[in-house]
Amino acid sequence: MAKTLRDHIEYALESLEEAAYKKFRRSLSDAEVQAGYDKIPRGTLERKDAIDVADLIISYYRLEYGLSLTLQVLERINQKDVAEHLRKAAGADGFAGSTAPPLNPSTGGAGATASDKHFVDKHREAIISRCTLVEPILDRLVSLEFLTEEQYDSVRAMTTTQNKMRELYKFMHGWGEAGKEAFYRALREQNGPLVRDLGGQ
């Protein structure tokens, strides 16, 4: 299976020793970010593992800027070898530089190009009717702060799995591509056979 940009970021973070990883999280929360983006609160990053931090980076900064910012922070904390490995790995998969395109299902990810719907939009009907594990998806989306506790309770109050997914899709409209990508990843983790059957990876 082809690795996504998020996978490369996660691997880079897992490569850091504990002290360096702690420094990375602190430096990430302190980093100056481009206009239009919010900093990830330090409290949100505390005690998060590499999987969660990679998700947060993509959720807050999307794919291309998320990579650029990750590289900047790695270099700032003097992890130049890890940064260089990430740059080469991402570049080899077509993500080099800050102009990298979003992930696309045909190339190993789920994001949409301007002319192509996101995986979770394209397969909305099938996902609603066939998704079996909803609660773990909700848990992940709450932890990434896409769902509020009230929205979480609203989805869980639905009586069938299909109605839960319909309610979740209602809230997803305001998330943008980053939220859809987070939803896709949670869906893939919990309902892998369904995602593969629909052409995802």
Side-chain angles (χ1 to χ4, degrees), residues 12-198:
L13 300 184
E14 288 176 337
S15 300
L16 298 174
E17 295 181 0
E18 185 176 349
Y21 180 60
K22 183 177 180 181
K23 192 173 183 181
F24 175 89
R25 287 180 306 192
R26 185 174 62 249
S27 296
L28 177 63
S29 68
D30 292 338
E32 291 299 322
V33 298
Q34 292 179 359
Y37 294 97
D38 296 322
K39 292 184 178 183
I40 304 176
R42 182 171 295 188
T44 301
L45 289 167
E46 284 182 2
R47 294 184 293 279
K48 291 290 194 297
D49 61 18
I51 295 173
D52 290 334
V53 171
D55 281 339
L56 285 166
I57 290 170
I58 299 303
S59 298
Y60 272 74
Y61 306 119
R62 304 192 178 215
L63 296 167
E64 43 194 280
Y65 184 48
L67 171 62
S68 176
L69 189 60
T70 300
L71 290 169
Q72 290 176 32
V73 175
L74 285 170
E75 290 174 352
R76 187 176 303 129
I77 66 170
N78 203 30
Q79 293 294 320
K80 299 188 188 316
D81 289 345
V82 176
E84 185 60 24
H85 185 275
L86 172 58
R87 185 177 287 108
K88 288 180 179 178
D93 283 351
F95 294 114
S98 61
T99 58
L103 294 179
N104 184 285
S106 63
T107 58
T113 64
S115 61
D116 187 25
K117 282 186 174 181
H118 194 284
F119 180 93
V120 298
D121 291 324
K122 183 177 180 181
H123 299 289
R124 181 179 190 271
E125 184 178 354
I127 291 171
I128 289 174
S129 65
R130 296 171 58 188
C131 181
T132 55
L133 294 173
V134 180
E135 275 73 11
I137 295 174
L138 301 180
D139 293 339
R140 172 54 66 89
L141 294 173
V142 168
S143 73
L144 294 174
E145 300 180 353
F146 284 107
L147 275 180
T148 66
E149 291 294 340
E150 291 78 14
Q151 291 170 337
Y152 176 86
D153 292 339
S154 175
V155 175
R156 292 202 67 220
M158 297 293 106
T159 55
T160 67
T161 300
Q162 289 75 26
N163 285 339
K164 288 178 181 178
M165 292 303 295
R166 289 189 187 97
E167 186 77 357
L168 179 57
Y169 264 91
K170 268 185 8 185
F171 297 126
M172 193 175 68
H173 287 308
W175 295 349
E177 290 299 311
K180 290 177 183 179
E181 187 71 15
F183 172 51
Y184 168 78
R185 294 186 186 286
L187 180 70
R188 185 179 64 182
E189 289 173 8
Q190 301 300 329
N191 296 266
L194 169 60
V195 171
R196 288 191 294 272
D197 190 46
L198 295 174

